Amino acid sequence: MTDPDWRMRTLRERIDALDEQIVGLLNARAACALQIGEIKRETGMPIYQPGRERDVLEHVRCVNAGPLDGDAVMRLFERIIDEARRLEREVQKV
């Protein structure tokens, strides 16, 4: 049997590495949201598009393989979408 402290340290290092990847992906997604905000500003489209948000939430629920359940994934993405909308509003101020 392996040392629990070593296993814990190894898992925490893995989590740290995954967190770094998640931050990078979130920022890449945010950069896309900023570009979408610019297009919406140029074309006069509204920032809030409930149909698109429903599509995004349904998509992430469908591709989720767990162990997070669908509701947990949807809550996380609702927050991500809120932040994307905030960025789009910042573009509107320019």
Side-chain angles (χ1 to χ4, degrees):
M1 187 170 286
T2 25
D3 174 27
D5 290 335
W6 178 83
R7 289 186 314 180
M8 183 80 75
R9 189 172 46 257
T10 300
L11 289 169
R12 287 181 173 161
E13 288 171 0
R14 176 79 173 126
I15 285 173
D16 289 345
L18 290 167
D19 287 347
E20 290 172 17
Q21 291 177 28
I22 291 168
V23 168
L25 291 170
L26 287 171
N27 280 306
R29 190 186 194 288
C32 290
L34 283 171
Q35 291 177 7
I36 288 171
E38 290 173 10
I39 294 168
K40 287 178 178 178
R41 180 177 48 86
E42 292 167 3
T43 61
M45 292 174 66
I47 292 171
Y48 179 57
Q49 297 187 336
R52 172 60 182 152
E53 291 185 17
R54 270 192 309 275
D55 291 346
V56 170
L57 294 173
E58 181 61 28
H59 175 73
V60 297
R61 182 184 276 277
C62 287
V63 300
N64 177 40
L68 289 173
D69 66 28
D71 289 341
V73 169
M74 291 204 27
R75 284 191 303 273
L76 290 167
F77 270 85
E78 284 169 347
R79 187 68 180 124
I80 290 168
I81 291 168
D82 286 344
E83 287 302 315
R85 224 183 297 123
R86 184 189 62 76
L87 286 173
E88 289 181 22
R89 281 193 300 274
E90 291 296 317
V91 171
Q92 298 290 331
K93 294 178 184 177
V94 174

